[in-house]
Amino acid sequence: MSRRGPILHNRTQWLLLGLALLFSLVLFMYLLECAPQTDGNASLPGVVRENYGKEYYQALLQEQEEHYQSRATSLKRQIAQLKQELQEMSEKMRSLQEKKNIGANGIGYQGNREQTPSDLLEFLHSQIDRAEVSIGAKLPSEYGVVPFESFTLMKVFQLEMGLTRHPEEKPVRKDKRDELVEVIEAGLEVINNPDEDDEQEDEEGPLGEKLIFNENDFIEGYYRTERDKGTQYELFFKKADLMEYRHVTLFRPFGPLMKVKNEMIDITRLVINVIVPLAERTEAFSQFMQNFRDVCIHQDKRIHLTVVYFGKEGLSKVKSILESIASESDFHNYTLISLNEEFNRGRGLNVGAQAWDKGEVLMFFCDVDIYFSAEFLNSCRLNAEPGKKVFYPVVFSLYNPAIVYANQDVPPPVEQQLMLHKGSGRRGSSILRPRTTAPCRPRRLSSSVAASNKEWKMSGSSGSNTPPRSQ
C-alpha cells in the first residue's frame, strides 16, 4: 500500500496537467475564432466604398505636413511680431510711468499721457468706429472720395502714379510687400480659424476634411488709407474647384501721436553754393542773374555763386554780366570757371563742387532757366543734413507766355505768372521720384579736395519752378 500511494499521486498530477493544457488549447482556438478579420485594402474611417493605394496616402500626408509647416512658420512670425510689439508697448508704458513719477518738469505733448492697455484697445476700436469702413461718410463731391488701390500676390496697381509712367508697380517696394504679405496672412487666419461671431459655416473638402485656404487661393485685394484714422483692406479668396468667394475686411487703425524729436535748427550761418553749368545761353543767364540779384543778394545774403562756362563764345558777355551785378550790388561772392570743352552738365557740376575750399557748405545744383525764391533756399537748408539727407525738389515747368497769355496785351508780372495751375504749366519730367528727402552716404570730393577730409551737404538738382521763356 505504501508504494501505490505515491504512484497514484503522480498520476493525479499528470492528469491535472493534461486537463490544463487541453483547456488552454480550447481557449486559444476560441480566441482565434472570435478575432476580427483584417484586410490590408480596407478603407479608412469616413471613406465609404473607395479604395486608395499607398501612394495616395503618402501624397495626402505630405500635403498635410507641408500645410502645417507653413502654418507653423506663419504663426512663429506672428508670435515674434507680437512679442516685439508687446516689448515696445511695455517700454512706452514704462517710460510714461517714469515721466509721471518724476513730475511735470517741462511741457510735453498731450498725446504722450499714460495709457493702460485697455485704454489703448478702446482707442483703436474707436478709430474703427469712426472710419468710413463702419459708418460711411457724406462727401461734398466726387473729389472727396478716398480711392482704393488694388494688388495681387506679385503686383500693386497704383492710382496716383506721381512721375512714373505705368500704374503697375513691379517689383513691389519691400516695405509695401511686407505690409501686404502680413495682411494676406491675417486674412487667411480669419478664414481658417473663424471666431464664434463670424457669419461663416465650416466647409468640407471632397474627402470630408476641413477646407483650408492658403496663399495660392488669394485672388485680389484693395486698400486705401484715411490719413487720420487708418488703412482699410478688402481681400478676396477662392478655391479653384469652388464657385464661392471668401471676402475679408481688415482695418489697421492709427495710434496716437508720439513725440520723436524736438530740436532747434540754426541756419543763419549756413552758406549755399549755387553751381550753374553754362554754355552760350547769355540771354537766359542775364534773366537768371536778375532773379539771383533780387533773391540771393538783396534778401538771403548767404549765397555763393559758381558759374562753370564751357567754350569761348559768349564768355566775355557772361563776365560783363557778373561784373555789372557785382558793381551795382557790391556782391563779390562768385566764381567763374572757364572750360574749353563741349558742354557736359555732370562735368560742370563736378568741377564747380571741387572748386570750393572754404569749409562746410550746402551745394545747390542749379540750371540757368530755374526761378527760385528765398523761401526755397531756406527749404534747402532745413531739409539737407550732412551724411543723412539730400533734398530733391520737383520742377514745375511753365509754358511759353506768348501762348498762355495770348489774349492779353501785356503779360502780367513774373510773380503772377508763377501761379501754379493746370492752364499754365506742368511738373517737369525727371527720373527722380517726388520725395522730399532721401538718405545718402557722406559725400567726399575727389582730387585735392578729398585730402582735406571734408563732408558736404547737397541739395537737389533743380529749384521750385521755372520762369516762362519766349520761343
Side-chain angles (χ1 to χ4, degrees), residues 53-302:
K54 180 179 180 181
E55 293 79 8
Y56 170 81
Y57 293 107
Q58 288 180 347
L60 183 62
L61 290 174
Q62 184 178 0
E63 181 182 356
Q64 293 294 328
E65 183 179 359
E66 291 175 356
H67 167 70
Y68 287 116
Q69 285 180 354
S70 64
R71 178 61 184 274
T73 303
S74 175
L75 291 176
K76 288 180 181 179
R77 189 185 304 114
Q78 295 180 16
I79 290 173
Q81 183 180 1
L82 290 174
K83 286 182 178 179
Q84 182 179 359
E85 293 177 356
L86 181 60
Q87 184 178 0
E88 293 176 355
M89 184 62 65
S90 301
E91 292 176 357
K92 291 179 182 179
M93 295 296 297
R94 190 182 305 109
S95 176
L96 293 174
Q97 185 65 33
E98 291 175 356
K99 290 181 180 180
K100 180 179 179 180
N101 295 335
I102 292 175
N105 294 330
I107 300 177
Y109 183 69
Q110 294 180 357
N112 287 340
R113 65 182 184 275
E114 182 183 4
Q115 292 181 335
T116 63
S118 59
D119 294 338
L120 182 59
L121 186 61
E122 182 179 355
F123 169 79
L124 296 178
H125 281 294
S126 68
Q127 290 287 82
I128 300 177
D129 294 338
R130 293 192 302 113
E132 189 175 341
V133 65
S134 296
I135 60 174
K138 294 182 178 180
L139 303 176
S141 66
E142 66 271 19
Y143 299 104
V145 176
V146 181
F148 283 89
E149 295 184 354
S150 63
F151 64 96
T152 62
L153 285 174
M154 302 299 296
K155 302 176 184 178
V156 172
F157 299 93
Q158 304 171 108
L159 186 63
E160 298 180 0
M161 295 177 290
L163 296 181
T164 60
R165 292 179 178 271
H166 303 285
E168 176 184 321
E169 181 183 355
K170 179 185 179 182
V172 185
R173 216 173 56 240
K174 183 179 184 304
D175 57 340
K176 176 61 67 176
R177 181 174 68 251
D178 294 343
E179 173 194 352
L180 297 180
V181 167
E182 179 189 1
V183 170
I184 294 174
E185 290 181 350
L188 291 173
E189 179 69 19
V190 171
I191 294 177
N192 294 329
N193 299 283
D195 296 332
E196 295 180 356
D197 55 348
D198 289 342
E199 297 179 359
Q200 175 179 325
E201 297 180 357
D202 293 338
E203 296 186 21
E204 295 183 353
L207 300 179
E209 75 280 3
K210 181 181 178 181
L211 195 60
I212 300 297
F213 285 78
N214 54 44
E215 294 180 355
N216 296 328
D217 300 322
F218 175 71
I219 303 300
E220 63 178 350
Y222 301 91
Y223 71 93
R224 66 174 179 178
T225 300
E226 297 181 63
R227 301 301 175 89
D228 59 336
K229 299 178 184 67
T231 303
Q232 174 186 349
Y233 302 92
E234 303 289 342
L235 310 178
F236 295 90
F237 300 86
K238 180 183 179 297
K239 283 289 186 182
D241 52 349
L242 298 178
M243 294 300 297
E244 294 81 6
Y245 286 80
R246 289 292 185 88
H247 176 211
V248 178
T249 299
L250 302 176
F251 194 83
R252 188 194 302 272
F254 294 154
L257 293 174
M258 303 296 293
K259 182 182 70 176
V260 176
K261 182 188 296 184
N262 181 16
E263 61 179 354
M264 182 180 65
I265 302 177
D266 184 12
I267 60 174
T268 56
R269 298 182 180 180
L270 185 55
V271 178
I272 297 180
N273 182 17
V274 181
I275 303 175
V276 182
L278 183 64
E280 296 184 358
R281 300 181 58 188
T282 56
E283 293 184 2
F285 182 71
S286 177
Q287 185 178 5
F288 172 83
M289 288 305 300
Q290 293 179 11
N291 178 57
F292 184 87
R293 178 190 56 194
D294 296 339
V295 174
C296 300
I297 300 177
H298 294 165
Q299 299 182 41
D300 192 89
K301 302 178 181 180
R302 294 163 291 170

Side-chain angles (χ1 to χ4, degrees), residues 161-166 345 365 367 370 391-397 426-436 459-464 466:
M161 295 177 290
L163 296 181
T164 60
R165 292 179 178 271
H166 303 285
R345 185 176 185 273
F365 293 165
D367 292 332
I370 293 297
F391 184 48
Y392 287 106
V394 176
V395 181
F396 189 91
S397 299
R426 58 180 174 79
R427 288 192 302 178
S429 60
S430 172
I431 61 173
L432 299 174
R433 292 183 180 272
R435 296 175 181 168
T436 308
S459 69
S461 58
S462 56
S464 58
T466 306

